[in-house]
Structure formats: structure tokens, C-alpha cells
Amino acid sequence: MFRKTPSKDRETTLFQELKNELYPHLAGVNGHLKGLMDRYAKIIFCVMLLLIVASFILTFFVLKPSPENQAENFKKELKVIPRELSNEFSALQDLTLRAAKMAELKSEIERIIAQDSISKTDSAYLEKAIEQLQYFNNHSHEN
């Protein structure tokens, strides 16, 4: 009763089949739209200009969002986010900050080590940077 009809051409895709099926209908709609555009070109052009001017007026003079309003709306939208997703975002942000700090520390350590002579401040900074880097490495393995 429900048999799959084999396709003669294995190279045809779904989009090609849809195009073949819908092309006559879309060609008719396209012809009607071209006729309307030809008949009422000036009216359509004037309506487009009016819409552009109305959009400009609404954007810059009528609908002025205040920064406080935007901040409150953003906070309301964030409250809608489920708690687990919020925790995932904060964990991702922590990992990103940790990776950035580790990259900064590594580059500073490499810069100091590459110098011919190291001052006392560089030595103290190098010691602290290596301790922080070890802490970040050990702390990341625990998580």
C-alpha cells in the first residue's frame, strides 16, 4: 500500500525537487508582483519614503530608551534564565578569566626570564607570578 517509489536520477536533491514543484506557482506570483510594481511605482516609492522618515522620527525623537530602562530590562531578562544555565555561564566566565590571567602570567614570566639581568622587583614579581601560576594549574586539576 505504501511503497517507496524509486528515483530515476540519484543526483536530484530535495531542493531541486521543491524547486521543480513550486516553480510554476512562484512564477505566477512573481508576474503579478511585477505588474503591481509597474502600475503603482510612484505610490510604492512614496510609501517607502514615508516609512523611512517615520522610522527615523520614531527612533530618534519618540522612542528614546533611557540607560536605566535598558539595565532594568536586561536584569529582568537575565532572571528568566534558569539557575543551572546561569551557573554554567558563571563557570564559563570564571574559566575564561582564569585562562586570560594564566596567559598574562606566562607571558610576563617569559619576558622576565628572557632578560640578561633581573632586578629585585622583577625577582619578587617573578616569584609571585610563578606561585599564582602553580595555584591556577593545581586548582584547575581539582575541578
Side-chain angles (χ1 to χ4, degrees):
M1 185 148 122
F2 296 105
R3 294 179 73 190
K4 191 175 178 183
T5 56
S7 175
K8 293 178 185 174
D9 186 16
R10 297 265 182 206
E11 297 297 318
T12 59
T13 63
L14 175 68
F15 296 112
Q16 289 172 341
E17 290 296 324
L18 283 173
K19 180 182 171 187
N20 291 340
E21 189 69 31
L22 298 176
Y23 183 75
H25 303 292
L26 293 176
V29 169
N30 192 17
H32 287 294
L33 286 176
K34 280 185 180 178
L36 281 173
M37 293 285 285
D38 289 339
R39 270 186 258 137
Y40 304 108
K42 288 182 183 179
I43 294 173
I44 292 172
F45 180 74
C46 291
V47 168
M48 285 186 345
L49 286 179
L50 285 174
L51 287 174
I52 290 172
V53 169
S55 173
F56 178 78
I57 291 171
L58 285 174
T59 302
F60 292 107
F61 299 113
V62 177
L63 302 174
K64 286 187 178 179
S66 64
E68 299 90 23
N69 240 357
Q70 288 179 346
E72 290 173 12
N73 289 340
F74 187 67
K75 286 178 185 177
K76 288 178 185 175
E77 289 173 6
L78 284 180
K79 287 181 183 177
V80 176
I81 296 176
R83 172 94 37 212
E84 297 95 25
L85 192 58
S86 175
N87 290 341
E88 294 296 325
F89 281 137
S90 63
L92 183 62
Q93 185 180 18
D94 290 343
L95 284 174
T96 306
L97 292 174
R98 183 179 294 159
K101 183 67 175 172
M102 285 177 65
E104 180 185 333
L105 287 173
K106 283 182 182 179
S107 65
E108 284 296 314
I109 290 171
E110 290 172 358
R111 182 189 63 81
I112 293 173
I113 290 175
Q115 293 177 356
D116 290 335
S117 62
I118 299 174
S119 66
K120 290 182 181 181
T121 57
D122 283 343
S123 177
Y125 181 80
L126 185 62
E127 225 174 281
K128 279 187 174 183
I130 290 174
E131 286 175 8
Q132 286 180 353
L133 195 58
Q134 286 174 345
Y135 171 77
F136 281 136
N137 285 334
N138 292 338
H139 193 63
S140 65
H141 292 300
E142 292 173 3
N143 292 339

